[in-house]
Amino acid sequence: MMIEYAEYAVSVDSFSKRKYQEESHPYRSDFQRDRDRIVHSKAFRRLEYKTQVFVNHLGDNFRTRLTHSIEVSQLARTVARSLKLNEDLTETIALAHDLGHPPFGHAGERSLHRLMKPHGGFDHNEQTLRVVEVLEKRYPDFDGLNLTEATLMGLQKHKRIKGLNHTLEASIVDICDEIAYNNHDLDDGIESGILNLSKLNEIEIWNDVWAEAKKSHINAGEKSLIRQTIRMLINKMVTDLIENMLDNIQKYKIKKLEDVLNFKSDTEKLCSFTYDTSIKISRLKKHLHKNLYRHPEVEKMNSRAEEVIQRIFNFLVKSPHAMPGEYQERLDSDGLYRVVADFIAGMTDRYALHWNKQILGID
Ligand code: MG
């Protein structure tokens, strides 16, 4: 089936080069193959046991990095399809965007970065690239997944390549990442009892949608109204994004992919919410920072997680031979500290806790 893309989309033959040339597949596009390689990778399977905000073993109903990545992917695909962008590429970037995250959410990253500071630092976006370019070993002909240029470009979140903008496919993943975590953190935050409903009603965007949900569901109980509010919030944000992007594409006469890559404006991004919505969302984010991410309960878990990472790091730096063979093999080429960071970053929360127990020698 031929899919019709807009001319500003990444087409199947733009940026589809791979580092190691491969024959094309009779039934799958290059970007579908990228997606399939990601889904079959070890790093992808491990996302199931990595934390977003809540430590994985607290309960089975909270998000993990795997469910987060799937949520981002489905939101981004809706946006991509509505704008006639390349949905396969969008899905691929979304499913891969968190592959480099260490265990224990942001606490894990903070801790690894601090320990790695004298040795080049640690950043989960760069680690994602390392995973797909070096660390995954599935194919006899090359290390990594040998993904297309467009996918790799989409994963370089904070870098511009040759001074060009990101493709719209990559930019929508970025912004849908935000939509997903703002809403699921609200959901998990309320579910865990950490976020308080009456305080949330001081936030305009929440309060507006809550009132709307209540009006249309007079007999619904509180729990049901919370779920309905979050559902409507996601819809509101995604709709605002699609409509604003369509406006921008018209306003700035974006016709071709080159127009996207070379677009310059000091005030506007092609991929953005309307001004009004973005102000409201930033207030919601501030609320989440103050009341959820910095909540004493969450901070307590975070500092425990940082201790665990530090303990494993110090142990492995002294005893690198405790690592699996595939890591030891790279000690000479990549250096002790980077290899230790790679090994720790690949750990799931529960595997890191297992190592912690081993090192302490207690059960
Ligand atoms: Mg993410």
Side-chain angles (χ1 to χ4, degrees):
M1 187 187 71
M2 271 305 280
I3 301 165
E4 207 196 309
Y5 296 127
E7 286 208 37
Y8 49 74
V10 176
S11 69
V12 259
D13 15 66
S14 41
F15 302 111
S16 58
K17 250 194 263 153
R18 299 177 192 274
K19 189 172 172 196
Y20 305 95
Q21 223 187 322
E22 295 180 53
E23 300 265 315
S24 58
H25 192 277
Y27 302 114
R28 292 177 298 159
S29 75
D30 285 314
F31 303 134
Q32 281 177 287
R33 285 176 91 186
D34 280 5
R35 178 204 56 206
D36 298 350
R37 287 175 188 196
I38 285 154
V39 171
H40 287 280
S41 69
K42 254 191 196 172
F44 186 74
R45 290 195 290 280
R46 290 183 190 146
L47 292 175
E48 184 172 1
Y49 302 103
K50 290 193 180 195
T51 310
Q52 278 289 127
V53 176
F54 296 95
V55 176
N56 209 294
H57 56 256
L58 267 194
D60 292 345
N61 292 326
F62 297 114
R63 265 71 173 187
T64 67
R65 288 222 176 265
L66 180 65
T67 60
H68 163 72
S69 301
I70 295 169
E71 287 186 28
V72 175
S73 157
Q74 50 104 351
L75 297 177
R77 284 178 58 190
T78 299
V79 180
R81 199 182 294 188
S82 309
L83 297 168
K84 291 203 161 87
L85 289 166
N86 193 318
E87 194 177 329
D88 290 334
L89 174 62
T90 306
E91 181 183 21
T92 302
I93 299 170
L95 291 176
H97 86 280
D98 267 353
L99 288 180
H101 257 293
F104 309 127
H106 290 288
E109 179 169 27
R110 227 178 9 244
S111 168
L112 257 191
H113 181 57
R114 195 163 34 75
L115 295 160
M116 283 300 286
K117 241 183 182 162
H119 316 286
F122 181 90
D123 171 83
H124 79 266
N125 290 309
E126 280 170 33
Q127 192 66 16
T128 295
L129 283 163
R130 230 175 128 64
V131 167
V132 299
E133 291 188 299
V134 184
L135 298 176
E136 276 292 327
K137 291 192 173 40
R138 297 193 62 77
Y139 304 98
D141 298 329
F142 43 76
D143 280 350
L145 304 176
N146 199 31
L147 303 176
T148 61
E149 236 182 328
T151 300
L152 293 176
M153 278 163 63
L155 295 173
Q156 324 232 341
K157 216 167 156 185
H158 302 301
K159 260 190 234 149
R160 285 180 165 204
I161 297 142
K162 297 173 201 145
L164 298 174
N165 294 319
H166 285 299
T167 59
L168 290 178
E169 284 81 354
S171 305
I172 56 179
V173 170
D174 213 13
I175 203 162
C176 287
D177 185 18
E178 216 181 282
I179 299 178
Y181 67 67
N182 283 332
N183 285 289
H184 64 51
D185 290 351
L186 265 174
D187 198 9
D188 287 353
I190 297 168
E191 172 82 22
S192 66
I194 291 178
L195 286 179
N196 168 313
L197 211 53
S198 62
K199 253 182 157 177
L200 260 176
N201 279 328
E202 292 165 17
I203 306 302
E204 191 185 356
I205 194 165
W206 173 273
N207 192 43
D208 287 354
V209 179
W210 173 261
E212 220 181 294
K214 229 170 150 178
K215 216 163 88 186
S216 50
H217 300 82
I218 302 165
N219 297 318
E222 193 177 84
K223 278 206 161 165
S224 165
L225 276 179
I226 291 167
R227 281 192 286 270
Q228 178 64 11
T229 302
I230 289 168
R231 175 178 171 221
M232 287 165 72
L233 264 176
I234 296 173
N235 193 39
K236 190 182 170 80
M237 291 180 193
V238 172
T239 305
D240 182 274
L241 175 65
I242 293 172
E243 289 174 358
N244 195 50
M245 283 180 77
L246 284 170
D247 281 353
N248 284 344
I249 285 164
Q250 271 220 322
K251 187 159 109 194
Y252 296 106
K253 302 188 172 59
I254 303 299
K255 301 269 188 255
K256 296 191 177 102
L257 180 58
E258 287 71 48
D259 300 338
V260 173
L261 300 177
N262 295 307
F263 175 73
K264 274 194 188 77
S265 162
D266 295 335
T267 48
E268 280 237 63
K269 283 184 182 164
L270 292 174
C271 179
S272 57
F273 299 110
T274 56
Y275 179 74
D276 189 47
T277 300
S278 70
I279 296 287
K280 286 181 184 166
I281 292 176
S282 67
R283 286 189 195 127
L284 174 68
K285 280 169 84 166
K286 260 195 202 144
H287 185 88
L288 287 173
H289 266 276
K290 196 170 150 212
N291 298 286
L292 179 63
Y293 309 136
R294 299 225 191 89
H295 188 277
E297 196 78 27
V298 175
E299 296 256 45
K300 202 165 79 191
M301 285 190 277
N302 285 347
S303 59
R304 266 197 222 140
E306 290 191 40
E307 261 170 51
V308 169
I309 298 276
Q310 188 167 345
R311 193 175 295 131
I312 301 173
F313 187 90
N314 291 338
F315 173 82
L316 289 174
V317 163
K318 278 193 217 125
S319 325
H321 296 294
M323 286 188 290
E326 56 183 294
Y327 289 91
Q328 291 182 44
E329 275 167 24
R330 295 205 349 272
L331 283 169
D332 284 340
S333 56
D334 298 17
L336 170 66
Y337 293 97
R338 184 55 57 193
V339 174
V340 168
D342 285 340
F343 181 46
I344 294 177
M347 290 180 175
T348 61
D349 293 14
R350 59 182 192 177
Y351 189 55
L353 291 173
H354 165 80
W355 268 83
N356 182 52
K357 219 194 270 175
Q358 297 271 80
I359 293 165
L360 290 176
I362 46 168
D363 198 33

